[in-house]
Amino acid sequence: TEPSSPNVRTEIPGPKSRQLLKELDRIQNTGAVQFFADYDKSYGNYLVDVDDNCLLDLYTQIASIPIGYNHQSLIDAVKNEDNLSTFVNRPALGCYPPRDWITRLQTSLLAVAPPGLSEVQTMACGACSVEHAQKAMFIAFQRRKRGGAPPTQQELQSCKTNELPGTPNLSVLSFKNAFHGRTMGALALTHTKPMHKLDLPQPKWPIATFPMLKYPLEDNVRENQAEEKRCLEEVEDLIETWKKKSEPIVGIVIEPIQGEGGDNFASPQFFQGLQDICIKNDICFNLDEVQTGCGVTGLFWAHEHFNLKQPPDIVTFSKKMLTGGFFYRSEYRPQEAFRIFNTWIGDPSKVVLLEAVIKVIKRDNLLNRVSEIGNYLWPEVEKIQEKYPDLISRVRGLGITGAVDFPSPDERNKAISKLLSKGVNTGACGESSLRLRPTLTLQKQHVDIFLDRLNSVCQEMS
Amino acid sequence: TEPSSPNVRTEIPGPKSRQLLKELDRIQNTGAVQFFADYDKSYGNYLVDVDDNCLLDLYTQIASIPIGYNHQSLIDAVKNEDNLSTFVNRPALGCYPPRDWITRLQTSLLAVAPPGLSEVQTMACGACSVEHAQKAMFIAFQRRKRGGAPPTQQELQSCKTNELPGTPNLSVLSFKNAFHGRTMGALALTHTKPMHKLDLPQPKWPIATFPMLKYPLEDNVRENQAEEKRCLEEVEDLIETWKKKSEPIVGIVIEPIQGEGGDNFASPQFFQGLQDICIKNDICFNLDEVQTGCGVTGLFWAHEHFNLKQPPDIVTFSKKMLTGGFFYRSEYRPQEAFRIFNTWIGDPSKVVLLEAVIKVIKRDNLLNRVSEIGNYLWPEVEKIQEKYPDLISRVRGLGITGAVDFPSPDERNKAISKLLSKGVNTGACGESSLRLRPTLTLQKQHVDIFLDRLNSVCQEMS
Ligand code: FES
């Protein structure tokens, strides 16, 4: 069973973690390692490290643990003899799919498909999900352009050596502070920290401004509306400019809530406006829900909060979904074989685990619980903000996902490390934000521990 | 236990596969699907499909099954309670590695590291292995260029919006007919079929000619030497040209044997020459062993056949290794945290399976067996070539990996489909080659079945 509270015995990283760090450093760069974890001892919302520190984990492997450590349903799925061959024999899914693959898709991904979308392509991580979704956009754009005609011989030949016309000049629009992954096509859309980007050649595609809302929202309604309007106009301008310079924008990729870039929210009206622009220009509207999907906002997909007039064209996912992939409107289905393809195209053993996760989400009514817990959590954090207005600002959250800002990166880092020493693991994002990314099984008692520790930290820091 | 011979009961795909195909087609493009497989019933070198056809599998999930279906050692690894939490809790390896991670790396990847390389970065598939290896090259190149100075403020700022100087103009040299993956940075190095490349924007980097050797090798020594010399000169020319146009080549990426592009071999001297060029120009020599690693040539890494004067700078792997990743010389280690990074950076549960695979390779002396079986297989295929010289040409192989050519793509496809109907599953590559990619547990009796069926097919086709 889950511990009732955190228990910190050493500084973190403790002596055992530090010893292991030294050993790992002979094998690779360890600059990002926080501590070594004992996953056998971890349970529920608590992560235990090798020095026996027991931490309330509100960051959960960079937002990728859906229902807590060592959940019984996941253990059962791995132990179930019927699933054994799925863990042992990883197939080339595009060529030799398993007997039960369609049933698996139906009870997992299709059971939670965004409203209006019924096609799905599995992938293995966030980056390949974004990259192959991008390929689907390019392919659909060129197909529309050809208007039914087959590609020319010249196109077929020239593409093999990355030349025009088979390798066309096309672009994808992304947003400042966006994060979509680390491979070249995904990294081209990513605009967060220099250490993610420096020294790496990338296509120089258009980048629009993501609205930077002022908080509290209710006191800044007019300003925020103006900010979003300005951002939408910029998008329209960029579409025109890039059409003229013959590197047309084939689609817009955007996170419903910018995660890595600082937990930046925009209004449903903003996303409705973006979709309208895509429809008007006949380009793809791609929502990247790698970090916002799987129920963290209280609805299964964050974009369900937006009241869009039609489904987004593409919705990418990974992290808590355990498998990567993307849902898409059928016009984004490639018509030919082997276009969206690789050796594995995902991993059925991850879909087995997702199936178990989705059963638990439904059985335990976790989406409602996430909404309720969010409704309790964020107003309480606002109370702390009121107490320490020089330390905490821009409290924002939806369901269990959200963040607060500190006056500087240093103070943010100090707060994270103080929280850790008090037994609560949180994460950084943006310039100086502290973000929460707990599991869907977060409960009031966990929130109360966090609030208590955050209060102490603020007291110590002010 | 393993069946003693194939057993084909229906045409392939059979009625059950065709029914499932129809259902899957509602969910996604199914153009590449051959048939649906029953992985519970498959065993060893035999793959059973949903229509109960039992096939000798010499293609093994696009060369990604190392020691056969449902190998007892892999079953034991999944069932072992000590491994349970590794299958249930996927960590963010770069931040919170598991207690036993270093031991795992030592008993798996480091136990089979290419001679002279002792650092390794795990990844999750071939594409991200290639992409992050590429990033390591760019980062090392720019670091050398700065000569110890830190990046400028201008570099740090400009890279966030993909602009100069932080996003530099650098290139990577690849070869005609190369295949390195499907995400943008990997696809830029890939030059195989139009359906892999068409419509997708990519950096227009230099592409050199991979030597196209004439067979039989012993009758074409002088010509082949000249061909390889020409190719090396082209590489040197390209390095000069691209230096002048200020988009310098930071490294060369090459497969020890081109797989997807047609099982193209080059001599050890060619690879030695390439390495010399890299050393002379102070650029990275990156061998992509995704398809040639894990013992398929009789040595654990194909480049061990090359007698290189020093280790390659980077060796990428995936497929039979079950985990992706790359080994690298320490100058390619990024000095800062979060540069070669993503949420998962691989998957310890795959490393658990790899550990079991490596134990079996050693226990059963599989590398020697692969050499022996190769020494038996290819001369026998040459005998068939002698009998049917108008049908089969360019027999080439090393260990269990290799191919033969047919006069045309159509005849190649016909041969593959005839072999399938006789119970032997093989694959296509290049223009008109048929390739073998069996498991490391292939034995003489399997080879004899293949030879027998290939003989009949040739008889029917001539
Ligand atoms: S790029 Fe996603 S798993 Fe490799």
Side-chain angles (χ1 to χ4, degrees):
Chain A
T1 61
E2 209 183 61
S4 59
S5 69
N7 187 350
V8 178
R9 295 161 196 266
T10 71
E11 53 176 345
I12 302 174
K16 286 192 186 153
S17 271
R18 286 200 306 270
Q19 176 56 35
L20 288 168
L21 252 166
K22 223 183 282 175
E23 291 171 31
L24 185 59
D25 195 64
R26 285 186 210 121
I27 304 171
Q28 54 192 220
N29 178 300
T30 55
V33 174
Q34 306 300 302
F35 51 79
F36 282 74
D38 190 326
Y39 292 101
D40 289 308
K41 290 189 185 159
S42 301
Y43 190 80
N45 291 279
Y46 284 88
L47 176 61
V48 177
D49 80 1
V50 289
D51 291 287
D52 250 342
N53 298 300
C54 176
L55 307 165
L56 174 63
D57 193 1
L58 304 181
Y59 193 43
T60 59
Q61 312 301 321
I62 320 183
S64 69
I65 300 288
I67 53 175
Y69 297 104
N70 289 306
H71 195 286
Q72 191 59 46
S73 296
L74 296 178
I75 289 176
D76 292 345
V78 175
K79 283 189 166 176
N80 184 342
E81 291 271 332
D82 292 345
N83 295 334
L84 186 59
S85 86
T86 306
F87 284 93
V88 166
N89 310 292
R90 188 174 185 178
L93 268 175
C95 295
Y96 314 99
R99 181 170 46 81
D100 55 2
W101 184 231
I102 296 165
T103 317
R104 291 264 189 231
L105 287 176
Q106 278 160 348
T107 53
S108 61
L109 290 169
L110 295 173
V112 295
L117 297 182
S118 58
E119 300 200 24
V120 70
Q121 174 64 61
T122 50
M123 280 290 152
C125 78
C128 43
S129 304
V130 166
E131 290 257 358
H132 286 271
Q134 198 173 84
K135 288 165 68 170
M137 288 187 227
F138 290 132
I139 292 169
F141 186 90
Q142 292 295 85
R143 185 171 64 235
R144 279 198 298 268
K145 199 174 143 191
R146 289 191 191 97
T152 64
Q153 273 311 312
Q154 208 197 350
E155 283 178 314
L156 293 173
Q157 268 314 311
S158 59
C159 73
K160 284 172 70 173
T161 44
N162 305 6
E163 287 165 300
L164 287 166
T167 306
N169 292 325
L170 302 172
S171 63
V172 176
L173 182 117
S174 58
F175 289 84
K176 282 177 198 155
N177 302 310
F179 184 93
H180 298 284
R182 302 278 202 144
T183 51
M184 185 184 278
L187 194 63
L189 312 175
T190 292
H191 314 289
T192 40
K193 299 198 179 58
M195 282 305 112
H196 304 166
K197 304 271 293 176
L198 182 69
D199 299 335
L200 307 173
Q202 279 154 78
K204 292 161 176 55
W205 288 341
I207 308 166
T209 310
F210 192 94
M212 205 45 61
L213 302 187
K214 289 229 170 93
Y215 288 81
L217 295 178
E218 53 279 21
D219 301 343
N220 294 281
V221 173
R222 252 210 335 241
E223 252 175 293
N224 287 337
Q225 276 175 355
E227 162 82 350
E228 292 191 336
K229 187 159 172 277
R230 205 175 53 77
C231 292
L232 288 174
E233 284 165 2
E234 190 186 332
V235 168
E236 293 204 88
D237 287 348
L238 285 167
I239 292 173
E240 282 317 308
T241 315
W242 284 72
K243 208 180 279 170
K244 276 187 206 132
K245 63 188 263 197
S246 294
E247 197 171 342
I249 292 169
V250 303
I252 293 177
V253 181
I254 189 166
E255 298 151 278
I257 306 164
Q258 288 191 327
E260 183 65 30
D263 277 31
N264 304 317
F265 287 71
S267 74
Q269 292 72 37
F270 175 73
F271 288 96
Q272 292 162 13
L274 263 190
Q275 184 176 51
D276 287 341
I277 292 173
C278 290
I279 294 171
K280 195 177 108 191
N281 289 280
D282 205 11
I283 62 176
C284 181
F285 183 48
N286 177 352
L287 286 170
D288 182 359
E289 295 240 26
V290 165
Q291 193 158 162
T292 54
C294 204
V296 297
T297 64
L299 295 174
F300 203 91
W301 301 103
H303 77 260
E304 295 178 66
H305 292 277
F306 296 160
N307 290 309
L308 297 172
K309 69 163 67 141
Q310 65 180 46
D313 296 304
I314 297 184
V315 176
T316 36
F317 56 84
S318 186
K319 292 223 188 228
K320 280 192 169 63
M321 295 293 283
L322 306 179
T323 173
F326 58 97
F327 297 97
Y328 56 96
R329 287 163 67 100
S330 49
E331 65 183 284
Y332 288 92
R333 176 196 284 222
Q335 302 300 300
E336 304 88 4
F338 295 106
R339 298 200 77 170
I340 302 289
F341 189 84
N342 61 36
T343 300
W344 288 315
I345 336 183
D347 183 346
S349 76
K350 300 302 180 194
V351 175
V352 163
L353 295 175
L354 173 64
E355 202 172 45
V357 166
I358 288 170
K359 264 192 203 135
V360 171
I361 291 177
K362 292 191 172 169
R363 182 194 73 191
D364 297 350
N365 208 3
L366 291 186
L367 298 189
N368 276 346
R369 272 174 52 185
V370 162
S371 297
E372 282 166 25
I373 213 81
N375 290 341
Y376 171 64
L377 164 64
W378 299 109
E380 292 295 321
V381 180
E382 277 171 358
K383 286 184 199 160
I384 300 180
Q385 171 181 241
E386 277 162 40
K387 261 170 78 184
Y388 302 99
D390 295 338
L391 208 51
I392 288 189
S393 62
R394 299 185 79 238
V395 174
R396 55 210 186 271
L398 186 60
I400 53 168
T401 198
V404 303
D405 281 8
F406 284 80
S408 72
D410 278 356
E411 279 156 296
R412 183 265 318 272
N413 296 346
K414 198 166 161 192
I416 288 177
S417 114
K418 277 179 172 287
L419 279 169
L420 189 60
S421 72
K422 294 176 194 302
V424 178
N425 191 36
T426 57
C429 67
E431 266 298 292
S432 53
S433 306
L434 179 155
R435 66 175 150 170
L436 302 188
R437 292 294 188 274
T439 76
L440 302 174
T441 60
L442 191 79
Q443 295 188 39
K444 184 169 177 300
Q445 75 258 25
H446 306 123
V447 172
D448 287 335
I449 291 168
F450 166 69
L451 295 169
D452 172 71
R453 304 305 192 271
L454 181 63
N455 245 313
S456 322
V457 167
C458 289
Q459 202 170 356
E460 288 173 25
M461 284 177 68
S462 47
Chain B
T1 61
E2 211 185 57
S4 58
S5 69
N7 187 351
V8 177
R9 297 161 193 266
T10 72
E11 52 177 348
I12 302 172
K16 284 192 187 154
S17 270
R18 287 201 304 271
Q19 176 57 35
L20 288 169
L21 254 165
K22 221 182 285 174
E23 290 172 31
L24 186 58
D25 195 63
R26 284 186 212 122
I27 304 170
Q28 54 192 221
N29 179 300
T30 55
V33 175
Q34 307 299 304
F35 50 80
F36 282 74
D38 191 326
Y39 292 101
D40 289 309
K41 290 189 185 159
S42 302
Y43 190 79
N45 291 278
Y46 284 87
L47 176 61
V48 177
D49 79 0
V50 290
D51 291 286
D52 249 342
N53 298 300
C54 176
L55 307 166
L56 175 62
D57 194 1
L58 304 181
Y59 193 42
T60 58
Q61 312 301 321
I62 321 183
S64 70
I65 300 287
I67 52 174
Y69 296 104
N70 289 308
H71 194 288
Q72 191 59 47
S73 296
L74 295 178
I75 290 177
D76 292 345
V78 174
K79 282 188 166 175
N80 183 341
E81 291 270 333
D82 292 346
N83 296 332
L84 186 59
S85 87
T86 307
F87 284 93
V88 167
N89 309 293
R90 187 174 187 180
L93 269 174
C95 295
Y96 313 99
R99 181 171 47 80
D100 55 4
W101 184 230
I102 296 165
T103 318
R104 290 265 189 231
L105 287 176
Q106 278 159 350
T107 54
S108 61
L109 290 169
L110 295 174
V112 295
L117 297 183
S118 57
E119 300 201 24
V120 69
Q121 174 64 61
T122 51
M123 280 289 152
C125 78
C128 42
S129 304
V130 167
E131 292 255 0
H132 286 271
Q134 199 172 86
K135 288 165 67 171
M137 287 187 229
F138 290 131
I139 292 170
F141 187 89
Q142 292 295 85
R143 186 171 62 234
R144 279 197 298 267
K145 199 174 141 191
R146 286 190 194 100
T152 64
Q153 273 311 312
Q154 208 196 350
E155 284 178 313
L156 294 172
Q157 267 313 310
S158 58
C159 73
K160 286 172 71 174
T161 43
N162 304 8
E163 287 166 298
L164 287 165
T167 306
N169 292 327
L170 302 172
S171 64
V172 176
L173 183 120
S174 58
F175 288 84
K176 281 176 198 156
N177 301 311
F179 185 93
H180 299 284
R182 304 278 203 145
T183 49
M184 183 183 279
L187 193 64
L189 312 175
T190 291
H191 314 289
T192 41
K193 300 199 178 56
M195 280 307 112
H196 302 166
K197 304 270 294 175
L198 183 69
D199 299 337
L200 307 173
Q202 280 151 79
K204 292 162 176 55
W205 289 340
I207 308 168
T209 310
F210 192 94
M212 204 45 59
L213 302 187
K214 290 228 168 94
Y215 288 80
L217 294 179
E218 52 278 21
D219 301 342
N220 294 281
V221 173
R222 252 211 335 242
E223 252 176 293
N224 286 338
Q225 276 175 357
E227 163 81 352
E228 292 192 337
K229 187 159 171 277
R230 208 175 50 77
C231 291
L232 289 175
E233 284 164 4
E234 191 186 331
V235 169
E236 293 203 89
D237 287 348
L238 284 168
I239 291 174
E240 282 316 306
T241 317
W242 284 72
K243 210 179 278 174
K244 277 186 204 131
K245 62 188 264 197
S246 295
E247 198 171 344
I249 293 170
V250 303
I252 293 179
V253 182
I254 190 166
E255 298 152 277
I257 307 164
Q258 288 193 327
E260 183 68 29
D263 276 29
N264 305 317
F265 287 72
S267 73
Q269 291 72 36
F270 175 74
F271 287 96
Q272 292 162 13
L274 263 189
Q275 185 177 48
D276 287 340
I277 293 173
C278 289
I279 293 171
K280 195 177 108 191
N281 288 280
D282 205 11
I283 62 177
C284 181
F285 184 47
N286 176 352
L287 286 169
D288 183 358
E289 295 240 27
V290 165
Q291 193 157 161
T292 54
C294 204
V296 297
T297 65
L299 294 176
F300 203 91
W301 302 102
H303 77 262
E304 294 179 66
H305 293 276
F306 297 161
N307 288 311
L308 297 173
K309 68 163 66 141
Q310 65 179 47
D313 296 304
I314 298 184
V315 176
T316 36
F317 56 83
S318 186
K319 293 226 190 226
K320 279 191 171 61
M321 296 293 283
L322 306 179
T323 172
F326 58 98
F327 297 98
Y328 56 94
R329 288 161 67 99
S330 50
E331 65 185 281
Y332 288 93
R333 175 196 284 220
Q335 302 301 300
E336 303 86 5
F338 295 107
R339 299 201 77 171
I340 304 288
F341 189 85
N342 61 37
T343 300
W344 288 315
I345 335 183
D347 183 346
S349 77
K350 302 302 181 193
V351 175
V352 163
L353 296 174
L354 173 64
E355 202 173 44
V357 166
I358 288 170
K359 265 194 203 133
V360 171
I361 291 178
K362 295 192 170 170
R363 183 193 72 192
D364 297 349
N365 206 4
L366 290 186
L367 297 190
N368 277 344
R369 273 174 53 185
V370 162
S371 296
E372 282 166 26
I373 212 81
N375 290 339
Y376 171 64
L377 164 64
W378 299 108
E380 291 295 321
V381 179
E382 277 171 358
K383 286 183 198 159
I384 300 180
Q385 172 181 241
E386 278 162 39
K387 262 170 77 183
Y388 302 98
D390 296 339
L391 209 52
I392 287 190
S393 62
R394 299 186 79 241
V395 174
R396 56 211 185 271
L398 185 60
I400 52 167
T401 198
V404 303
D405 280 9
F406 283 80
S408 70
D410 277 358
E411 279 155 296
R412 184 265 318 271
N413 295 345
K414 201 166 159 194
I416 288 176
S417 115
K418 276 179 174 289
L419 279 169
L420 189 60
S421 73
K422 294 177 196 300
V424 178
N425 191 37
T426 57
C429 66
E431 264 300 291
S432 52
S433 308
L434 179 154
R435 66 175 150 170
L436 302 188
R437 291 294 188 273
T439 75
L440 302 175
T441 61
L442 191 79
Q443 296 189 39
K444 184 169 176 299
Q445 74 258 26
H446 306 123
V447 171
D448 288 336
I449 291 168
F450 166 67
L451 294 169
D452 173 72
R453 304 305 191 273
L454 182 62
N455 246 313
S456 326
V457 167
C458 289
Q459 204 171 354
E460 288 173 26
M461 284 177 67
S462 46

